[in-house]
């Protein structure tokens, strides 16, 4: 995020979620200022051009051109860059291993799979997410991200009645399951129902062969250094950090 544009965000108290998303997109991608049309910006942020014009007016500008001119003026100011120390901090011994694990995961996340996810995000509006145990936390994280993008996203877990899913499945277009093992029965049950009602099934699991992966239309395999998922579920590995990194990368590529 460019600090020179953050003053715009402080003026957004009365903005809708969609309007704020447009503003945040420009602060995160300052190089777009002056190089993107109102239609291109609307397409990139999943809003209408009318939404962008309302945003400009709420910020006190007559239209998009005046708003962009103001952004250019802000960007013309010299940014404050903190002095950098020449000496790098000593890194933990396991840092290199975590980096290697990330690289292993992203060897499996092909361009084709990333494009499939981006297409789903652009073409579909309603998402049902499911996770059990620790996986619920990451399913919830992705749910919130999708909601910020203006998508209809609902999160459920084992604590919810099975009837909740049965009653609502037909309303959603995409089922996203997060399961480290890919063998959790509650998750498999919902995936079967999702397939039966015509939902697209997306799964995030560990890379070893598992039932959920075989059921998914789009499967993201993550490296997991734990020898056995059940025996070492309480142990700290790079699996979860891999998962968050992957989710953010997919969302960034789909919306950037």
């Amino acid at each position: 995020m460019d600090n020179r544009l953050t003053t715009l965000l402080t003026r957004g108290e009365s903005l809708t979620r969609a309007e704020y998303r447009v503003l945040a997109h420009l602060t995160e991608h300052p190089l777009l200022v002056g190089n993107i049309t109102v239609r291109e910006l609307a397409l990139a942020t999943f809003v209408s051009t009318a939404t962008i014009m309302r945003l400009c007016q709420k910020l006190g500008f007559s239209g998009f051109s005046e708003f962009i001119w103001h952004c250019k003026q802000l960007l013309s100011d010299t940014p404050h860059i903190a002095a950098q120390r020449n000496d790098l901090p000593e890194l933990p011994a396991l840092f290199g291993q975590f980096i290697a694990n990330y690289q292993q995961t992203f060897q499996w996340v092909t361009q084709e799979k990333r494009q499939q996810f981006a297409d789903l995000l652009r073409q579909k509006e309603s998402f049902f997410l499911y996770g059990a145990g620790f996986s619920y936390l990451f399913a919830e994280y992705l749910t919130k991200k999708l909601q910020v993008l203006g998508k209809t996203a609902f999160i459920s877990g084992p604590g919810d009645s099975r009837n909740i899913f049965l009653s609502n499945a037909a309303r959603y277009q995409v089922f996203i399951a997060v399961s480290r093992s890919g063998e959790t029965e509650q998750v498999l049950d919902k995936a079967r129902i999702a397939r039966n009602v015509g939902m697209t099934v997306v799964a995030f699991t560990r890379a070893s062969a598992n039932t959920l992966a075989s059921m998914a239309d789009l499967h993201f395999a993550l490296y997991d250094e734990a020898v056995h998922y059940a025996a070492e579920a309480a142990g700290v590995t790079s699996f979860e950090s891999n998962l968050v990194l992957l989710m953010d990368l997919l969302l960034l590529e789909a919306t950037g």
Side-chain angles (χ1 to χ4, degrees):
M1 179 178 293
D2 196 303
N3 291 334
R4 292 169 291 178
L5 294 179
T6 53
T7 55
L8 293 172
L9 296 175
T10 64
R11 301 165 61 177
E13 293 182 359
S14 63
L15 301 183
T16 65
R17 186 166 58 186
E19 292 165 349
Y20 188 87
R21 184 165 70 252
V22 174
L23 197 56
H25 186 76
L26 286 179
T27 61
E28 292 172 0
H29 305 88
L31 293 179
L32 294 178
V33 173
N35 296 307
I36 190 171
T37 67
V38 64
R39 292 185 180 278
E40 290 170 339
L41 182 57
L43 183 63
T45 54
F46 305 99
V47 302
S48 65
T49 55
T51 296
I52 296 178
M53 299 309 296
R54 284 195 298 270
L55 165 66
C56 296
Q57 292 168 3
K58 285 185 178 181
L59 294 176
F61 304 108
S62 60
F64 185 69
S65 296
E66 185 180 356
F67 168 61
I68 290 298
W69 180 87
H70 179 75
C71 290
K72 287 182 177 179
Q73 294 300 111
L74 293 176
L75 290 171
S76 67
D77 294 335
T78 302
H80 173 72
I81 302 177
Q84 299 290 321
R85 293 181 56 182
N86 292 326
D87 55 319
L88 294 175
E90 183 178 352
L91 298 174
L94 288 174
F95 182 80
Q97 184 61 52
F98 266 53
I99 293 297
N101 294 346
Y102 294 149
Q103 293 173 332
Q104 179 63 56
T105 287
F106 287 103
Q107 287 182 5
W108 299 321
V109 183
T110 63
Q111 173 64 36
E112 180 183 2
K113 288 188 174 184
R114 300 200 308 271
Q115 186 60 54
Q116 283 182 264
F117 186 88
D119 290 342
L120 283 175
L121 199 61
R122 292 167 183 156
Q123 298 169 8
K124 307 298 184 181
E125 293 299 324
S126 54
F127 298 77
F128 194 107
L129 292 91
Y130 194 91
F134 276 115
S135 294
Y136 180 88
L137 301 176
F138 299 96
E140 184 177 35
Y141 174 79
L142 184 53
T143 301
K144 299 297 183 184
K145 289 280 189 173
L146 292 172
Q147 290 171 349
V148 168
L149 292 175
K151 302 296 182 179
T152 299
F154 182 83
I155 176 70
S156 182
D160 298 323
S161 168
R162 185 172 185 268
N163 289 331
I164 290 180
F165 186 70
L166 290 172
S167 301
N168 292 278
R171 297 170 47 200
Y172 294 90
Q173 300 166 296
V174 181
F175 177 75
I176 301 180
V178 182
S179 174
R180 183 176 183 177
S181 68
E183 299 293 347
T184 304
E185 186 53 42
Q186 296 99 319
V187 180
L188 298 178
D189 178 48
K190 307 305 181 299
R192 293 186 189 101
I193 296 172
R195 286 178 62 87
N196 288 337
V197 299
M199 296 170 68
T200 299
V201 176
V202 180
F204 294 85
T205 76
R206 71 194 319 235
S208 56
N210 61 79
T211 305
L212 180 59
S214 65
M215 296 170 60
D217 299 293
L218 177 58
H219 174 232
F220 291 104
L222 290 95
Y223 178 79
D224 189 355
E225 62 266 46
V227 176
H228 188 271
Y229 72 89
E232 303 188 38
V236 177
T237 71
S238 66
F239 178 83
E240 285 80 11
S241 51
N242 267 331
L243 182 55
V244 173
L245 187 63
L246 173 57
M247 288 177 172
D248 283 342
L249 176 70
L250 293 172
L251 292 171
L252 183 60
E253 282 197 331
T255 60

